[in-house]
Amino acid sequence: MPVIKTIHDDDITIALWLISEAENELLEHVGQVDDLPSNKNRRIERLATMALLKTLGFRLFYSYDSYGRPYFQDSSVRISISHTEGIIALAFSESQEVGVDIEQTTRNYRKIAGKYLSTNEAIGSHNFSDFHYALIWSAKETIYKLPWGKSLVFSRDIEIDLKNFNSERGWLKARVFNDGAWVNVKLFYTFIDNYCLTWTGMNRIL
């Protein structure tokens, strides 16, 4: 399956790849790969990510920093990768660090709400739909992937303001507690079929 959607947001580009290929088809596309995960689903996700990178003209191999963020060695292109069942999301930019996340809206986020909702978010959660829960989780995943210099705690260090959430796509403001102070971050979202996609960059700190 080729790239199913590309989003251009100023200097950030997001590309989506719907995984419809068998493992052997992906291997034919990317060539021989060493050190693939032993788990079949993880192998297919890795190969689909490499297929997406190849389609976009990037190198196939990338490394991870100490916080688990992917990066290309000796390259000015910054990347962020997310995958959930059946789909891969890649964000990239040549001018800023980026974060991207994609989640299924059908997942039961209410079950784990106590682990990721802040106190203020929990107070208003009686009015939340499944889309609210999915959006908050995805937004926090996206923000977490930016280089803050520490590992953020979802329920304590990130708070999502849902005032602007009223359509299938738009933007939200988040508050992030970092270096002893709260900072505001603008992030963007869109719902595509049964998926919630969010993205932002370090230049979106307000």
Side-chain angles (χ1 to χ4, degrees):
M1 171 67 69
V3 175
I4 62 165
K5 189 175 184 64
T6 304
I7 299 170
H8 299 285
D9 177 19
D10 291 334
D11 58 344
I12 299 175
T13 299
I14 301 95
L16 303 181
W17 180 286
L18 188 66
I19 305 173
S20 60
E21 306 86 356
E23 184 174 347
N24 64 311
E25 293 176 297
L26 290 167
L27 279 168
E28 289 177 5
H29 185 65
V30 303
Q32 183 60 40
V33 181
D34 297 326
D35 299 323
L36 285 170
S38 58
N39 179 274
K40 182 178 180 179
N41 289 335
R42 296 301 182 192
R43 284 200 308 274
I44 290 175
E45 287 174 349
R46 176 75 62 82
L47 290 169
T49 301
M50 296 172 73
L52 174 55
L53 289 169
K54 182 177 180 179
T55 299
L56 295 173
F58 292 123
R59 63 185 71 174
L60 300 186
F61 300 98
Y62 49 91
S63 302
Y64 290 94
D65 66 15
S66 59
Y67 292 96
R69 291 187 298 267
Y71 70 96
F72 291 132
Q73 295 186 7
D74 303 317
S75 173
S76 62
V77 177
R78 284 82 159 199
I79 61 171
S80 181
I81 299 167
S82 179
H83 43 72
T84 190
E85 186 174 344
I87 198 165
I88 304 289
L90 170 74
F92 61 92
S93 173
E94 291 191 9
S95 63
Q96 61 175 314
E97 298 286 352
V98 292
V100 70
D101 187 71
I102 190 162
E103 301 288 345
Q104 292 179 301
T105 57
T106 53
R107 178 180 170 186
N108 186 5
Y109 297 95
R110 298 172 189 263
K111 186 176 181 179
I112 58 171
K115 296 182 178 181
Y116 75 93
L117 292 184
S118 70
T119 300
N120 288 335
E121 290 163 349
I123 290 172
S125 63
H126 61 280
N127 292 319
F128 286 178
S129 68
D130 290 343
F131 294 101
H132 289 90
Y133 282 104
L135 180 57
I136 290 176
W137 175 267
S138 182
K140 292 193 176 191
E141 284 279 359
T142 286
I143 289 171
Y144 182 86
K145 294 177 179 180
L146 296 178
W148 298 101
K150 68 170 186 177
S151 293
L152 300 175
V153 177
F154 280 20
S155 62
R156 184 191 66 203
D157 298 327
I158 311 173
E159 192 166 276
I160 308 300
D161 185 346
L162 295 176
K163 284 202 299 285
N164 289 323
F165 175 44
N166 55 15
S167 65
E168 293 183 355
R169 64 184 61 85
W171 66 274
L172 302 171
K173 186 170 70 174
R175 296 201 313 145
V176 179
F177 190 72
N178 186 54
D179 285 338
W182 289 95
V183 296
N184 293 321
V185 180
K186 187 177 183 180
L187 60 92
F188 296 83
Y189 71 89
T190 186
F191 289 91
I192 303 168
D193 296 329
N194 292 323
Y195 297 103
C196 175
L197 174 70
T198 59
W199 69 92
T200 192
M202 286 303 285
N203 291 352
R204 306 291 165 82
I205 295 178
L206 303 174

